[in-house]
Amino acid sequence: MTKHIIRELEHIEHLANRYADIELTTLANIKHKSQSFPVYALHVGTQDPNAPTLFLTGSIHGVERIGSQIILAFLENLLKRTAWDVYLNDRLSRMNIVSIPVINPWGVHLKTRSNGNGVDLMRNAPIQANNPKYQLYAGHAFSNKLPWFRGNPNQMEDELIAVSNFILERSKNARSSIVLDLHSGFGSRDRLWFPFAHSSQPPDNLHEYYLLYRLFRKSYPQYELYQFEPQWHQYTTHGDFWDWMYQQHFAQSSTHFLPITLELGSWLWVKKNPWQLMRFSELFHPTKPHRVKRVQRRHNPLLNYLIQVLDNDLFPKIDNEKELTEKALKLWYP
Ligand SMILES: [Zn+2]
C-alpha cells in the first residue's frame, strides 16, 4: 500500500536532521487500520530539568493544522538564530522549549477534528463539567460519527496518555511552565483561554494568569489581538484535557504551571475568502500562503513574550499575590 505522508511530520523530521541543537523524541506510534503515525516531541534548550519550560502543542484537533505550522515556523527561526545570536543562546542555556507540534496525526491525515477512533481529544479526559447546559459540543457519548464524541474518559486515547505522561514528568520538576496549546476555528478574534472549561471557579494560581495578562498589555500596547479570559466565559465542556492536566500537575507538584489555549479566530479568514465555507477542513486553516505567513507573524510577539516571562522567573518572584487576585476577580469573576 502507499505510505501516507503528513507535511508537518516531515517538517519536524527535517528540523531534527538539519539542526544539531534540537532533540527529537517519539512519544508514541498511533495505529489506525494497518498504518501508524508518530507523535513527536522536539526539545531545544538546557538539559536542566528544573529550568523554566515553555510547552507548545498543536493539532490536537486534526483540522486545525495552522497551529502546528506556527510552532514549526517559530522553532525554525529560533534555530536559525542560534547560529549567531549570543543573547538567544544565553537564554536557551537557562530554559527549555518543548513542543509537540502534532498531537493528533491521524486527524490531520484524515482531515477530521477527532482522532482515528472518532474521539474528540479535547473532550476525552476524565473530568465532568458541573454546570453543563446540555449541548452536543460540550461532549457526548452518542456516537463517534458525530463531532465532539467523548470516547471513554476512563481509558484516555493513546495520544493523550503519551502527551500527558511526557508533559507532567517535565512540569513537575520545572520551576515554572507555560503550555500554549494552539487551536483555530472559534469566532472572529484571537483568544487566550485559561482554566477552567469545566467550571466557573477560578484556578488557584489566578494571580499568575492576571500577571501574564497585565504585563503583556502594558509591555506590548500595540498588540490588542487577544481576548484573554477563562475558557468557561465562552463555553463549558466535559473532558477538557488542560483542565485535567492542571489538576494532575498540582496533585503531584507545587511548581508553577499555566496551561493556556490560543484560539485563532477563523472567521477573520473566512471573511476574506468566503469559498472556505464550502470546504469544512479549510474553514480552520487559511489556505493562501501569504495569509499563513501573516498568521504566523501575528503570534511571534506572544511566543517571545512567554519566553521572556519564563526566563525572568516572574512567577516565583510575585510578592503582591493578594492585589493581583483581587484585580483578577473583579475583571473575570464579578
Ligand atoms: Zn480546537
Side-chain angles (χ1 to χ4, degrees), residues 49-51 168-176 249 253 255:
N50 304 128
L168 290 169
E169 183 54 33
R170 286 178 162 266
S171 71
K172 80 173 178 203
N173 295 314
R175 256 192 326 275
S176 301
H249 172 84
S253 175
T255 62

Side-chain angles (χ1 to χ4, degrees), residues 42-44 46 48-56 94-99 166-167 170-180 256-258 306-307 309-311 313 315:
L42 290 167
H43 169 244
V44 188
T46 166
D48 175 5
N50 304 128
T53 302
L54 175 63
F55 294 95
L56 300 171
R94 292 186 300 260
M95 66 176 295
N96 293 300
I97 299 173
V98 175
S99 67
F166 177 73
I167 291 182
R170 286 178 162 266
S171 71
K172 80 173 178 203
N173 295 314
R175 256 192 326 275
S176 301
S177 342
I178 294 174
V179 184
L180 189 71
H256 304 268
F257 182 68
L258 291 85
L306 298 178
I307 287 173
V309 167
L310 287 166
D311 185 34
D313 257 334
F315 302 124

Side-chain angles (χ1 to χ4, degrees), residues 56-221:
L56 300 171
T57 58
S59 290
I60 199 165
H61 289 138
V63 287
E64 300 169 14
R65 282 167 42 212
I66 183 69
S68 307
Q69 294 177 6
I70 289 174
I71 294 170
L72 290 166
F74 180 76
L75 286 177
E76 184 147 23
N77 295 346
L78 202 77
L79 290 162
K80 287 203 161 96
R81 276 165 49 208
T82 57
W84 56 269
D85 184 345
V86 290
Y87 291 104
L88 175 64
N89 287 323
D90 194 34
R91 187 151 260 175
L92 291 174
S93 73
R94 292 186 300 260
M95 66 176 295
N96 293 300
I97 299 173
V98 175
S99 67
I100 307 170
V102 183
I103 291 183
N104 175 14
W106 276 104
V108 173
H109 176 66
L110 298 168
K111 296 186 164 61
T112 56
R113 176 181 169 92
S114 60
N115 72 356
N117 298 329
V119 175
D120 185 330
L121 297 178
M122 283 308 288
R123 302 290 184 275
N124 182 229
I127 195 161
Q128 194 73 14
N130 48 19
N131 57 342
K133 269 188 269 165
Y134 203 82
Q135 299 285 0
L136 214 53
Y137 67 72
H140 64 83
F142 298 134
S143 158
N144 67 357
K145 303 278 182 288
L146 296 169
W148 309 293
F149 177 62
R150 291 200 63 192
N152 179 2
N154 298 314
Q155 178 55 53
M156 280 197 313
E157 296 294 301
D158 292 346
E159 295 89 338
L160 294 188
I161 291 174
V163 168
S164 62
N165 287 341
F166 177 73
I167 291 182
L168 290 169
E169 183 54 33
R170 286 178 162 266
S171 71
K172 80 173 178 203
N173 295 314
R175 256 192 326 275
S176 301
S177 342
I178 294 174
V179 184
L180 189 71
D181 184 34
L182 285 81
H183 288 254
S184 59
F186 180 85
S188 60
R189 63 179 296 187
D190 298 332
R191 290 160 199 276
L192 288 170
W193 283 332
F194 61 86
F196 295 108
H198 79 286
S199 153
S200 56
Q201 289 299 306
D204 286 342
N205 59 350
L206 181 65
H207 61 287
E208 296 176 339
Y209 283 106
Y210 187 76
L211 177 83
L212 203 61
Y213 155 79
R214 194 178 69 171
L215 215 54
F216 189 69
R217 286 195 53 164
K218 283 193 170 172
S219 314
Y220 297 86

